[in-house]
Amino acid sequence: MTLAEFLQVAPVPPEQLAPSLWLIIALPLLGAFICGVFGRMLGRANVHLVALSAVAGAFVLSVLAFWATSHTGPGAAEGSRRLMAYYRNPFGIEADFVRYALAYDYGTWFAVGDFRVNFGLSVDHLSGILLLVITGVGFLIHLYSTSYMEHDDGYWRYFAYLNLFVAAMLTLVLADNLVLLFVGWEGVGMASYLLIGFWYTDPAKAWAGRKAFITNRIGDFAFLIATFLLVLLVSAFTRQANAADYATAGSSTQRYQASLQEKGPVTFKGLEKLAEGLVDTGTDKVDLSTPIEAGPLAGYTFGGVMTAALLLFLLGAAGKSAQLPLYVWLPDAMAGPTPVSALIHAATMVTAGVYLFSRMSALLVLSPTAMATVAIVGALTSLLAALIAFAQDDIKKVLAYSTVSQLGIMFMGVGMGIFWAAVLHLVTHAFFKACLFLGAGSVMHGNGDETDIKKLGGLRHEMKWTWGTFLVATLAITGIIPLSGFFSKDAIFHGVHHNHLHGLEWTSSLVYYLGLVIAACTAFYMTRLYLLTFEGPRSKEARVEHAHESAWQMTLPLVVLAVLSVVAAVYAFPLMRSASDGRPQPIFENFLSPVFGAMARIAEGAKTVELDTSVPGMADYLKAWLVALSGGVAAAFLYLKFFPARVGQPVPAFARAVRRTAQNKFYVDELYELAVIRPVKFLSFILFRVVDALLIDTVAVRGTAWVTARVGSALRYVQSGDAQAYAAVMAIAILGGVAYALIQVLQ
């Protein structure tokens, strides 16, 4: 049996594995429960065993599920039919989706009136890749943490939070509908709050956790509104659609409406069918320009509501993936333990926005306006973060802004329709950025927790394993051939340059040239970081005279991630042939074609975006390499020759001002303080002092009590207890009544 034939036959048949997908989430969730409740009693070694075993078990199950999605051996057709039955989705699923996906519907989760949500999990080539990254890189970070956190008294709480985060992230990528995805979305937000503020006795670290949590709540609110809009859009479509609309989507009226009743309106496959139904085929049917006739959205067009929903999803993604205007939380999130930064802020949570738009690619290509906005926001965020990284001296802060910048590049790819390249960069970035963060933790561990790169230097000869892996990861993110970062980044820039949005063709050139500037900036600040940390003489201000290498539990993950940063480049090589036209196709694009096939058909039918399918040539590779080389050479010249030769000389005032501005993050936090935080605090003060304290407490509550008390004080004087006085009052009242009656009679 050849290797290809071996890989095409899953060890566990898909129909047997599908009902057990919930175990991928349950294992780390169980680990979090055991470590959190019984951790103190179990002891350090047993907590490590439980936490690592939970993630390792989830990794093994993820490998089996991922393998099963490509099961094409004996019984594959029967397995496909069974999967359709398990999935219970009569939306008119294409054979490819069934064949290259593993899914199971566990039944109704909740239902309110006509609205219904099922608890359904699915694994296809997109979510399968994310499963391997989350559990694989997550296991390495757990292993690293056993040494890094060995002296921390809250180790059991740390590993409980870490397992909880992994469980939430797995829920996010396994969900087959928006509501369950939102549960994972909120779960990773809560777990990140707990991990960022892990050392909560330090007010600054606790504040950083609160900042991340509150900033993400803004984006989460936008996510909810966008979901509500899609629910209303699906409802409007079912009222107005005719047979031609359902035929365009490869379904029928009865099948589509039956599916809505069985699975609800927010499944990803159902939304994909909605997108296909809105493609204008020239017949008398519902399309993007059709006005909605009834309901809360009456008078708006389907395309307008779709664009509004996607822009709201962009705001939600900006919170999780640290894009403008909600990126400000991520640099402060470095307050948590360094392995947390590697897991949350490099490999998993911050990529949730990229995953969301990739999963909803069929909807995104219907709106060139939304695509252009996503791409431009990504480009501007990436450039701003790169410029801020120039002047940062904290090793973790440089990597944090680098993460923001790289996420912006992914958003550029998503916004311009080059989804497979954005996902490839997500994967390669998970490898080399996790390696860089863990390398930074190793540097801190061996240098008395020093984070200022100007107080390090000379570590190349004292921490050889950390140096070697950090160098590989630096070259990967810089974009040096033949490492993975070069190919994944260049694939994005090539697609950005050659894809064109209908009516917004200028976006391609703008985003592409901004991308070249960003690539040069990345090479500059990463070369600066590497040189100041590892090259040159040891700083005289170093906390320890000699650094020491970390334990094997920390260096082994570094080596594995560095190797992955190299070998992952093969997925960008055009070694495959397209099934449709036979053109050369990168391995990763071919692998994800079942996921993005509907997106390509919708883009072609709707004429909203022109997708280029060419691969970069030698000229493209040479240009990208020269751009990266220029940034690296400039940094090497400045920090090895220019600045050392001018030590002690005064720095020009202009240069000091520019550096101070970049070092203070262009005063964006101060702008937020002035424009948002202070007005909200002032409004809160008015509501508290005037509305709550004065009107409600004093006037309404205490005022009512005061009036009652005063009336009671006056009335108590007539309650003397003297029977004769009471009889006299009664007699006087009777006489008064008689007199009144006589007067009325006489009148």
Side-chain angles (χ1 to χ4, degrees):
M1 179 183 291
T2 65
L3 178 62
E5 292 173 341
F6 173 75
L7 295 176
Q8 289 173 355
V9 180
V12 181
E15 62 272 15
Q16 295 181 17
L17 188 61
S20 303
L21 289 177
W22 65 275
L23 286 172
I24 298 176
I25 302 171
L27 285 178
L29 199 60
L30 178 63
F33 175 79
I34 294 174
C35 293
V37 176
F38 306 107
R40 280 184 180 272
M41 296 178 286
L42 291 175
R44 195 179 298 272
N46 287 326
V47 166
H48 293 168
L49 177 63
V50 170
L52 267 69
S53 298
V55 180
F59 175 72
V60 172
L61 290 174
S62 298
V63 170
L64 293 175
F66 179 75
W67 200 336
T69 60
S70 298
H71 180 72
T72 57
E78 180 185 357
S80 297
R81 288 195 294 272
R82 292 183 181 180
L83 280 181
M84 182 179 289
Y86 283 132
Y87 200 61
R88 298 209 303 266
N89 186 355
F91 275 111
I93 304 173
E94 295 88 347
D96 278 351
F97 178 83
V98 177
R99 187 169 185 176
Y100 295 109
L102 189 69
Y104 196 82
D105 189 338
Y106 296 91
T108 303
W109 180 15
F110 66 89
V112 181
D114 295 333
F115 181 76
R116 173 179 177 152
V117 176
N118 285 16
F119 190 90
L121 303 178
S122 67
V123 182
D124 59 7
H125 285 179
L126 174 60
S127 55
I129 286 288
L130 267 293
L131 287 181
L132 297 183
V133 169
I134 294 165
T135 55
V137 177
F139 176 79
L140 294 175
I141 292 171
H142 275 70
L143 176 61
Y144 180 99
S145 299
T146 58
S147 177
Y148 190 86
M149 301 293 288
E150 63 181 345
H151 300 301
D152 197 289
D153 293 334
Y155 63 93
W156 56 274
R157 186 164 49 90
Y158 170 83
F159 282 100
Y161 294 163
L162 218 57
N163 269 197
L164 179 63
F165 175 86
V166 171
M169 193 68 202
L170 291 171
T171 304
L172 190 154
V173 300
L174 280 171
D176 78 339
N177 62 76
L178 273 173
V179 176
L180 185 56
L181 184 146
F182 187 70
V183 172
W185 190 274
E186 289 296 284
V188 293
M190 179 190 69
S192 67
Y193 161 73
L194 295 172
L195 286 166
I196 294 167
F198 177 75
W199 290 308
Y200 58 87
T201 53
D202 185 337
K205 292 178 170 56
W207 175 85
R210 293 196 301 271
K211 182 178 181 180
F213 190 78
I214 293 171
T215 305
N216 272 272
R217 296 293 72 72
I218 299 171
D220 296 347
F221 184 63
F223 187 109
L224 281 177
I225 298 175
T227 304
F228 298 152
L229 285 178
L230 286 184
V231 172
L232 294 174
L233 199 65
V234 171
S235 177
F237 179 78
T238 55
R239 285 195 302 267
Q240 295 179 225
N242 54 38
D245 297 302
Y246 295 115
T248 305
S251 186
S252 64
T253 305
Q254 294 77 14
R255 295 177 68 189
Y256 189 87
Q257 293 181 352
S259 300
L260 290 180
Q261 293 177 359
E262 187 176 355
K263 289 187 67 68
V266 290
T267 60
F268 293 120
K269 198 62 188 177
L271 293 174
E272 183 181 294
K273 290 299 175 183
L274 168 69
E276 291 182 350
L278 289 174
V279 174
D280 185 7
T281 58
T283 58
D284 184 17
K285 65 188 292 295
V286 174
D287 57 30
L288 296 174
S289 61
T290 303
I292 297 174
E293 296 174 352
L297 302 177
Y300 297 97
T301 63
F302 281 89
V305 175
M306 183 73 75
T307 298
L310 290 170
L311 291 177
L312 287 168
F313 277 123
L314 173 59
L315 184 57
K320 278 290 179 289
S321 296
Q323 300 294 290
L324 284 170
L326 301 178
Y327 76 93
V328 292
W329 67 270
L330 194 143
D332 292 298
M334 298 302 106
T338 302
V340 171
S341 302
L343 180 62
I344 296 180
H345 310 126
T348 55
M349 187 184 92
V350 292
T351 60
V354 180
Y355 173 77
L356 174 67
F357 278 122
S358 298
R359 178 57 66 196
M360 301 179 67
S361 57
L363 297 180
L364 186 60
V365 293
L366 288 177
S367 176
T369 302
M371 293 184 72
T373 306
V374 171
I376 292 172
V377 166
L380 294 179
T381 304
S382 184
L383 181 60
L384 177 66
L387 294 176
I388 294 175
F390 275 21
Q392 300 301 309
D393 294 329
D394 186 303
I395 187 171
K396 291 176 67 177
K397 285 289 181 70
V398 176
L399 296 178
Y401 282 107
S402 171
T403 300
V404 176
S405 184
Q406 295 301 306
L407 289 167
I409 293 175
M410 297 176 210
F411 271 76
M412 291 161 57
V414 166
M416 294 305 299
I418 186 77
F419 293 97
W420 74 267
V423 177
L424 177 60
H425 197 56
L426 183 159
V427 174
T428 60
H429 177 264
F431 297 150
F432 57 68
K433 184 54 66 65
C435 185
L436 288 170
F437 267 117
L438 295 182
S442 182
V443 168
M444 293 165 57
H445 191 71
N447 289 271
D449 287 331
E450 180 61 74
T451 61
D452 190 338
I453 57 177
K454 290 186 174 179
K455 297 180 181 179
L456 294 171
L459 298 182
R460 175 178 179 178
H461 304 290
E462 298 180 348
M463 305 181 70
K464 292 186 177 181
W465 286 102
T466 302
W467 161 73
T469 55
F470 200 95
L471 175 61
V472 170
T474 301
L475 294 175
I477 191 175
T478 298
I480 299 299
I481 295 177
L483 304 180
S484 60
F486 171 83
F487 293 100
S488 60
K489 195 185 303 182
D490 191 56
I492 291 178
F493 291 157
H494 180 79
V496 164
H497 194 203
H498 291 85
N499 289 354
H500 299 288
L501 306 178
H502 178 68
L504 298 166
E505 287 78 6
W506 54 268
T507 309
S508 301
S509 297
L510 172 65
V511 175
Y512 173 69
Y513 289 110
L514 283 176
L516 294 182
V517 175
I518 293 163
C521 292
T522 302
F524 183 91
Y525 67 72
M526 286 305 303
T527 303
R528 169 183 179 266
L529 172 66
Y530 166 77
L531 292 175
L532 291 179
T533 304
F534 291 96
E535 301 295 340
R538 184 77 168 157
S539 173
K540 297 179 180 178
E541 301 178 65
R543 291 189 182 183
V544 295
E545 184 176 355
H546 295 286
H548 64 84
E549 186 59 275
S550 302
W552 71 267
Q553 293 93 332
M554 296 174 66
T555 55
L556 178 61
L558 292 176
V559 172
V560 173
L561 290 168
V563 171
L564 290 173
S565 300
V566 177
V567 300
V570 71
Y571 293 110
F573 297 165
L575 303 178
M576 306 293 289
R577 291 286 178 179
S578 172
S580 59
D581 54 15
R583 64 178 176 83
Q585 195 175 40
I587 295 175
F588 208 72
E589 182 183 4
N590 183 276
F591 183 73
L592 291 179
S593 57
V595 180
F596 297 126
M599 176 275 299
R601 292 193 303 272
I602 292 169
E604 183 179 2
K607 301 294 190 293
T608 51
V609 54
E610 180 184 341
L611 298 176
D612 179 76
T613 57
S614 64
V615 296
M618 290 304 298
D620 299 303
Y621 286 140
L622 181 60
K623 183 194 300 183
W625 183 73
L626 289 176
V627 167
L629 195 63
S630 65
V633 169
F637 170 73
L638 288 176
Y639 287 93
L640 294 180
K641 298 291 185 182
F642 186 80
F643 292 144
R646 286 161 177 76
V647 173
Q649 298 182 14
V651 180
F654 173 75
R656 288 200 307 270
V658 171
R659 173 175 169 75
R660 185 167 56 250
T661 302
Q663 202 164 27
N664 288 299
K665 302 164 287 188
F666 291 99
Y667 301 102
V668 174
D669 284 325
E670 287 76 7
L671 180 61
Y672 268 101
E673 177 77 23
L674 181 65
V676 179
I677 298 175
R678 288 186 181 180
V680 170
K681 282 185 175 180
F682 179 74
L683 179 61
S684 302
F685 174 81
I686 295 298
L687 292 174
F688 169 59
R689 288 298 183 188
V690 177
V691 178
D692 188 42
L694 179 61
L695 296 180
I696 297 177
D697 288 347
T698 303
V699 176
V701 179
R702 294 178 185 173
T704 304
W706 183 85
V707 170
T708 303
R710 298 289 77 78
V711 172
S713 298
L715 290 176
R716 70 187 178 85
Y717 289 108
V718 302
Q719 298 292 328
S720 61
D722 187 347
Q724 293 180 341
Y726 295 163
V729 171
M730 293 172 63
I732 293 172
I734 292 171
L735 289 175
V738 171
Y740 177 77
L742 289 174
I743 292 172
Q744 293 296 322
V745 171
L746 292 176
Q747 288 179 348

